[in-house]
Amino acid sequence: LDQFCSEVDVQVGISVVARAGQVFAGSKIRALAEAAGMRLQADGGFQLNDESENMIFRIENLDAEPFSAEKIRTATISGITFLIDVPRTREGMRMFDRMVDLSRSFADSLDGMLADDNRVVMHDAGLEKIRRQLQAIYRSMENRGIEAGGALALRLFR
């Protein structure tokens, strides 16, 4: 069980990064996040929750400093990362697609680019590779009788 949990207990991130020599206005990021139904959390990330208040995905500051209501108005940010907690998210593939769509929308609105963890530009092929990896993880969970985002998954993957 420990080995299985370590194999599927992953977070997937997609970053939106500013083009060379540019930055994003914190106020614009906040406006986009709130328009998408996300709320700023005490830990400094914007979070989208489902109707049961379980996290679907979140946005964190790529510059490592948490967002705060006081500083975001004047902050300049080089990038943000959308994160989904794979085993804890119900309807994972649909929510991943939703996260991809929203990250693309942010990139368009901010004139940024999608990127991976190393800030390397990510194209459709990279996103498709992630989709295949996620499908394998979800199949593995199903084979074990563990529903992503279900009660057992929420207890196993804290």
Side-chain angles (χ1 to χ4, degrees), residues 14-26:
I14 299 172
S15 296
V16 177
V17 296
R19 297 182 188 279
Q22 297 179 2
V23 292
F24 303 142

Side-chain angles (χ1 to χ4, degrees), residues 10-13 55-58 82-86 89 92 95-96 99 134 138:
V10 297
Q11 287 187 336
V12 171
M55 182 179 71
I56 298 172
F57 54 81
R58 63 184 281 120
F82 287 76
L83 291 168
I84 190 167
D85 192 338
V86 174
T89 303
M95 294 304 126
F96 173 73
M99 184 179 81
L134 288 176
Y138 287 125

Side-chain angles (χ1 to χ4, degrees), residues 114-129:
L114 294 187
D116 65 15
D117 294 345
N118 298 314
R119 296 186 183 210
V120 174
V121 174
M122 184 181 297
H123 300 286
D124 288 343
L127 292 169
E128 186 55 35
K129 181 178 177 183

Side-chain angles (χ1 to χ4, degrees), residues 5-7 10 13 24 37-38 52 55 60 64 71 74 76 89 105 118 121 123 129 138 152 157:
C5 288
S6 69
E7 291 169 2
V10 297
F24 303 142
M38 304 181 89
S52 301
M55 182 179 71
E60 294 181 355
K71 292 181 182 178
T74 59
T76 56
T89 303
S105 174
N118 298 314
V121 174
H123 300 286
K129 181 178 177 183
Y138 287 125
L152 180 55
F157 305 100

Side-chain angles (χ1 to χ4, degrees), residues 23-30 72-77 110:
V23 292
F24 303 142
S27 57
K28 177 89 179 213
I29 291 171
R30 181 177 193 160
I72 201 163
R73 283 175 258 167
T74 59
T76 56
I77 297 159
L110 296 167

Side-chain angles (χ1 to χ4, degrees), residues 48-56 88 90 98 149:
L48 181 65
N49 293 334
D50 64 18
E51 61 281 346
S52 301
E53 291 302 311
N54 295 311
M55 182 179 71
I56 298 172
R88 296 180 56 85
R90 285 190 188 279
R98 186 174 174 186

